[in-house]
Amino acid sequence: MTEKVVVIYSGGMDSFTVLNRAQKDGKLVFALSFDYGQRHVKELECASTVCSELGINHKVIDISAINQLLGGSSLTDDIDIPEGHYESESMKSTVVPNRNMILLSLAVAYAVSVGAEQVYYGAHSGDHAIYPDCRPEFVEKMNDVCKIANYESVEIFSPYLTVNKSAILSDGIAMGLDYSNTWTCYNGRDKACGKCSACEERLEAFSDNNVTDPISYE
């Protein structure tokens, strides 16, 4: 019997690679996306398109009401998106308080309800400098909790936790993936800005792999 897994799928290039990795691993994928009021909501449109094309069961859950509790992030509040590299101090403005603990908790609950034993999660080493909830110690402790939080044990599986975006893209290229239906830019405009930290890291990954990014930039 095919093993079921839940994939937290934002619509970005990392989670897109994770989604396809789960399929390549022979899993029956249940994709889960969250609308938490992010200004780069275009990523959810990409997620829906990809799941439709791949025939993957996909849910988009509106949890934007929680923004009444989560303030101070440039991803959700009326605060300018900073430009520059991820390791810059200014990038801390893109942290959404407790975001990944919330999303993982909901994904684990969904996994229990559909009989899935794993939740695939796209954290990687490029996020470690700025985002505490993408670091190995967070994933390790969250995994410990999720194994005992229900009668059914659920594992948090982060296949790219110790590698960077360039390595993730390299794996995607090896799988023959098309990244034209992914979105990374933190700004919610028609084209990617090419200047925010997310865009910079994405462009570095494509450059490192000597391939051209298929999406349009301003």
Side-chain angles (χ1 to χ4, degrees):
M1 188 173 181
T2 305
E3 182 181 349
K4 299 176 181 177
V5 299
V6 171
V7 175
I8 297 179
Y9 183 35
S10 69
M13 61 179 288
D14 304 327
S15 62
F16 172 72
T17 312
V18 170
L19 183 83
N20 281 276
R21 170 51 58 199
Q23 278 210 315
K24 297 288 186 182
D25 289 345
K27 311 296 185 181
L28 177 58
V29 174
F30 291 77
L32 186 59
S33 303
F34 296 99
D35 179 353
Y36 56 91
Q38 63 269 46
R39 67 174 69 192
H40 53 301
V41 70
K42 186 172 180 177
E43 65 178 4
L44 297 178
E45 299 170 8
C46 292
S48 295
T49 298
V50 167
C51 287
S52 178
E53 291 177 349
L54 295 177
I56 290 177
N57 185 299
H58 183 219
K59 292 186 182 296
V60 180
I61 306 301
D62 185 349
I63 59 170
S64 56
I66 67 173
N67 281 333
Q68 298 174 69
L69 306 176
L70 313 180
S73 172
S74 57
L75 299 192
T76 54
D77 285 355
D78 188 19
I79 302 171
D80 289 340
I81 297 289
E83 296 180 358
H85 200 272
Y86 258 123
E87 295 184 2
S88 300
E89 183 71 16
S90 62
M91 293 306 112
K92 288 185 178 179
S93 77
T94 64
V95 173
V96 178
N98 217 33
R99 176 180 60 178
N100 287 338
M101 184 179 286
I102 294 167
L103 303 190
L104 283 167
S105 295
L106 293 171
V108 167
Y110 183 40
V112 170
S113 73
V114 300
E117 297 181 358
Q118 289 181 311
V119 169
Y120 276 55
Y121 166 51
H124 64 86
S125 66
D127 291 334
H128 296 174
I130 297 299
Y131 301 114
D133 56 3
C134 290
R135 294 171 183 166
E137 54 267 39
F138 168 80
V139 176
E140 177 186 350
K141 300 302 182 184
M142 193 70 184
N143 202 2
D144 289 342
V145 169
C146 292
K147 287 181 178 179
I148 62 171
N150 298 279
Y151 289 116
E152 301 85 357
S153 176
V154 176
E155 178 189 9
I156 307 296
F157 181 58
S158 305
Y160 301 115
L161 185 60
T162 60
V163 302
N164 63 15
K165 192 181 288 285
S166 295
I168 295 173
L169 179 59
S170 178
D171 193 34
I173 292 169
M175 286 189 278
L177 302 186
D178 176 6
Y179 285 86
S180 60
N181 269 326
T182 63
W183 187 258
T184 302
C185 183
Y186 281 156
N187 285 292
R189 302 197 285 262
D190 289 337
K191 294 182 179 180
C193 72
K195 297 179 180 179
C196 70
S197 56
C199 281
E200 281 203 358
E201 189 186 38
R202 177 180 174 123
L203 289 168
E204 284 178 5
F206 277 92
S207 177
D208 288 345
N209 283 278
N210 297 310
V211 291
T212 301
D213 190 344
I215 70 168
S216 298
Y217 286 84
E218 295 175 348

